[in-house]
């Protein structure tokens, strides 16, 4: 059984997709041990509580330094003894010590086809605003392992999504979530839970 911690900051639609996929059997051999947010008001925490999943907040506001927060965050995650950490709309940089502790065991969903529209400053709606500004015809989402860079870890899965004329950033974000994020993130978790994923020299192979 793969035990996962899901880390969230906002609405939690990707968390909901994971919960629903476990309930429907699209994800097997997996249980969500805890949902952790940096934002006590994140609706994602409500989604977890509604499903009787332990939900808690570790907020930078409760610590005097970023280092103290980083240490507390890592300790909290480690206390649940999980196998995989899933960043589902989590907007806090993962501390290097946590990347070291969970090498190739932290995955993230990013709302573009990496290496486009990613890196520092590219998150949430800003990603879609940049894609529309550039005039791309295809965008999408990427699931990747987390390393010490920003959106630079080995790519696990990607899903393209068509950009429609007159798309607003919100409309494009919603389509990318519906047609890509909510599909490839659960699928990646299921693949990892069932031993289908290996990483060699920064490349991911699916059995
Ligand atoms: C989504 O745009 C997702 O791509 C990004 O965070 C946003 C909110 O996700 N990772 P969620 O609804 O909180 O899962």
């Amino acid at each position: 059984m793969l035990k996962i911690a899901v880390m969230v900051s906002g609405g939690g639609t990707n968390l909901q997709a994971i919960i629903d996929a476990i309930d429907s059997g699209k994800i097997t051999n997996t249980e969500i041990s805890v949902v952790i947010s940096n934002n006590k008001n994140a609706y994602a925490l409500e989604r977890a509580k509604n499903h009787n999943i332990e939900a808690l907040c570790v907020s930078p506001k409760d610590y005097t330094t970023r280092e103290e927060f980083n240490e507390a965050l890592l300790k909290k995650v480690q206390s649940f003894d999980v196998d995989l950490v899933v960043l589902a709309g989590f907007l806090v940089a993962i501390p290097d010590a946590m990347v070291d502790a969970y090498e190739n065991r932290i995955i993230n969903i990013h709302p573009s086809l990496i290496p486009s529209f990613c890196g520092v400053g590219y998150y949430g709606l800003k990603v879609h605003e940049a894609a529309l500004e550039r005039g791309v015809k295809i965008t999408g989402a990427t699931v990747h392992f987390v390393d010490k860079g920003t959106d630079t870890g080995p790519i696990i899965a990607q899903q393209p999504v068509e950009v429609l004329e007159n798309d607003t950033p919100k409309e494009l974000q919603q389509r990318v979530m519906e047609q890509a994020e909510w599909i490839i993130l659960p699928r990646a978790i299921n693949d990892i839970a069932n031993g289908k994923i290996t990483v060699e020299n920064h490349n991911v192979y699916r059995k």
Side-chain angles (χ1 to χ4, degrees), residues 7-17 42-44 47 87-91 108-112 123-125 127-128 140-141 173-174 176-177 181-182 185:
M7 305 185 74
V8 296
S9 295
T13 63
N14 278 285
L15 167 67
Q16 192 64 55
Y43 186 66
R47 293 180 191 268
L87 310 184
F90 191 62
L91 298 179
N108 181 49
I109 179 80
H110 182 77
S112 76
Y123 56 88
L125 215 49
V127 174
H128 304 291
Q173 179 181 48
Q174 185 65 28
V176 168
M177 288 197 279
E181 296 177 40
W182 300 343
L185 184 56

